[in-house]
Amino acid sequence: MFFTSEVVVEFLTSPLEVLAWGSMGIFQGAREVLPSLIAFVLLSNLGASITEVAKDALVAEYGLRYRINGLQSYALMASAAGGVLGNLLGGYLLLTAPPKFSFLVFSGLLALQLVVSLSSKEESFDLPRIVETSSVLDSVKKQLSNLTQAIQADEISQPLIWAAVSIAMVPLLSGSVFCYQTQVLNLEPSVIGSSKVIGQLMLLGLTVVYDRYLKTLPMRPLIHIIQLSYGLSILLDFILVKQINLRLGISNEVYVLCFSSLAEILAQFKILPFAVRLASMCPRGCEGSVTSFLASALCLSQIVSAFLGVGLANLIGITSSNYSNLSSGILIQSLAALIPLCFLHFVPMSEPVIEKEGKRGISKRSRRNRRVGRVVDKEIVAYRRERESEETQR
């Protein structure tokens, strides 16, 4: 079974983040010279991405091990709560201390996380351990083979493709909107930071609602509503750029506080139903592999989306001194977010259901035969009921 040791992952990734943020806090040139700043941010994001993939795999395997349906919901709740606390702490430090102190505090928190992870015993998770009976290369080949077989199944590959493509095809203009808010509207950093806090609170509320009321709904209509809401919520930035909110009597500060983070939160929330379904549908032994593959595909999709956003900004002439075409870019972004609705048939209709342990890990042909068997059984039952009804009438 694929299982990435949390201790090993933290030992490899946390030092990268501590090095990046600690260097920006200690050395003035590291946070003021553009090439070094880009390098350290890239290093930090590399460590964070690896940790994110390992976390998703750990949550998936633990949930399948103990039959906890929708454990990803609780993980997202914890992440949203951490986002609220982190944004509040960051906002307070920006108001009361220089930026280098914020970098040092963040690197200290990462170092504390590393110490806690190293002091935690892997046996406390009570997950199956890999028995070393072959070389590392053979083990990697086996895991790749199992992953390839798992993602070839339509019930796994189709929703995974739709989730990745629906993110990759939307050009990301959040950087341009942020610069517009700070350079043109002259909004205070505290206002933008507070909007992030409100956004994380909304994400926490949405996750609770999903776990209590939406988890059992058919997946396709749910994703349809979320994607449509996401596409329309992008237009909230259009209203801000055109200053329509001022005509309605809503100040820029209040508008940004209430609506600025809504599209970003819906984009994060959209992934939750896919994570729950794929974790419950993958064959036994591939839970962590499939979930890690999903996380990696989503990270790649976000990179493609960011590059498309940069390309779109350059194409329509958005610069640090000219935001006249930003509204047109936002309209293009909103239309691009609505295009995946045309391919919604890739998203399954049925709600995610965890299969019994004895039925996991079967081949694609066996699953196809099992579905055929169910159809035949239903036809036999219907035929018997029809015969019994005829005999009763006689």
Side-chain angles (χ1 to χ4, degrees):
M1 175 175 290
F2 174 84
F3 179 62
T4 303
S5 173
E6 186 193 34
V7 176
V8 175
V9 172
E10 288 295 332
F11 183 76
L12 293 176
T13 59
S14 291
L16 296 178
E17 299 180 74
V18 173
L19 174 63
W21 292 102
S23 299
M24 287 189 287
I26 297 174
F27 304 108
Q28 183 177 358
R31 60 178 180 272
E32 294 181 356
V33 180
L34 184 59
S36 61
L37 182 62
I38 293 176
F40 283 123
V41 171
L42 178 62
L43 193 65
S44 173
N45 287 341
L46 175 63
S49 299
I50 298 174
T51 304
E52 184 74 14
V53 172
K55 181 264 296 180
D56 290 341
L58 178 63
V59 170
E61 290 215 359
Y62 192 89
L64 267 294
R65 171 74 171 176
Y66 294 100
R67 309 281 185 89
I68 305 176
N69 188 13
L71 185 60
Q72 291 79 5
S73 302
Y74 298 98
L76 188 57
M77 291 180 199
S79 177
V84 171
L85 297 176
N87 282 290
L88 287 175
L89 177 61
Y92 175 77
L93 292 176
L94 286 176
L95 293 176
T96 58
K100 65 177 183 179
F101 185 75
S102 301
F103 295 150
L104 292 175
V105 170
F106 187 47
S107 62
L109 292 175
L110 291 170
L112 177 62
Q113 177 186 356
L114 176 60
V115 172
V116 172
S117 298
L118 292 176
S119 60
S120 301
K121 295 183 178 180
E122 194 170 314
E123 291 77 8
S124 61
F125 297 107
D126 195 22
L127 290 174
R129 302 295 301 274
I130 298 176
V131 180
E132 297 293 340
T133 58
S134 59
S135 64
V136 176
L137 182 60
D138 292 338
S139 178
V140 171
K141 289 181 179 179
K142 181 180 179 182
Q143 292 298 328
L144 288 176
S145 176
N146 293 337
L147 175 62
T148 303
Q149 293 179 2
I151 62 178
Q152 284 178 350
D154 292 340
E155 58 266 27
I156 293 179
S157 62
Q158 290 186 357
L160 192 152
I161 292 173
W162 191 94
V165 172
S166 67
I167 296 174
M169 68 185 307
V170 181
L172 192 62
L173 294 176
S174 56
S176 301
V177 173
F178 173 80
C179 293
Y180 177 82
Q181 293 174 349
T182 56
Q183 297 178 5
V184 178
L185 301 182
N186 297 319
L187 296 178
E188 295 292 332
S190 59
V191 175
I192 299 177
S194 299
S195 70
K196 300 297 182 182
V197 174
I198 294 176
Q200 292 297 319
L201 287 173
M202 288 191 292
L203 179 60
L204 179 60
L206 283 174
T207 308
V208 173
V209 171
Y210 172 81
D211 185 69
R212 292 182 63 89
Y213 304 107
L214 305 179
K215 189 165 56 177
T216 57
L217 293 181
M219 188 173 178
R220 189 182 300 171
L222 178 61
I223 296 299
H224 184 277
I225 295 173
I226 296 175
Q227 186 68 22
L228 180 61
S229 302
Y230 169 63
L232 296 178
S233 64
I234 296 176
L235 296 177
L236 294 173
D237 290 331
F238 177 85
I239 295 175
L240 179 65
V241 172
K242 288 296 186 179
Q243 294 290 271
I244 299 176
N245 56 294
L246 295 180
R247 304 174 197 170
L248 300 175
I250 304 175
S251 64
N252 291 329
E253 290 78 9
V254 173
Y255 188 86
V256 170
L257 278 175
C258 297
F259 303 110
S260 178
S261 299
L262 183 58
E264 179 183 354
I265 294 309
L266 288 175
Q268 295 181 37
F269 177 71
K270 179 181 69 175
I271 304 304
L272 179 59
F274 289 98
V276 173
R277 178 179 177 86
L278 292 180
S280 62
M281 292 297 297
C282 59
R284 183 183 181 185
C286 292
E287 301 92 347
S289 300
V290 173
T291 308
S292 298
F293 185 81
L294 171 65
S296 302
L298 295 179
C299 287
L300 179 61
S301 300
Q302 292 169 357
I303 293 174
V304 174
S305 175
F307 275 105
L308 287 179
V310 173
L312 177 62
N314 291 330
L315 182 64
I316 62 180
I318 300 176
T319 63
S320 59
S321 58
N322 182 15
Y323 294 95
S324 58
N325 293 326
L326 180 57
S327 58
S328 301
I330 294 173
L331 289 177
I332 296 174
Q333 183 185 10
S334 178
L335 290 175
L338 297 178
I339 292 177
L341 294 176
C342 301
F343 308 98
L344 208 60
H345 59 274
F346 277 83
V347 179
M349 176 64 71
S350 60
E351 67 274 9
V353 179
I354 296 182
E355 298 178 347
K356 294 182 180 179
E357 189 165 347
K359 295 184 180 181
R360 296 183 194 143
I362 56 179
S363 64
K364 188 176 180 180
R365 179 178 296 180
S366 299
R367 284 194 300 269
R368 193 175 294 129
N369 293 339
R370 185 179 63 184
R371 287 195 292 266
V372 172
R374 287 177 178 174
V375 174
V376 173
D377 290 341
K378 290 179 180 179
E379 292 177 353
I380 292 175
V381 172
Y383 174 76
R384 288 177 177 175
R385 289 178 178 175
E386 192 173 349
R387 288 294 303 272
E388 291 174 0
S389 176
E390 291 176 358
E391 292 177 0
T392 303
Q393 291 177 1
R394 290 176 184 175

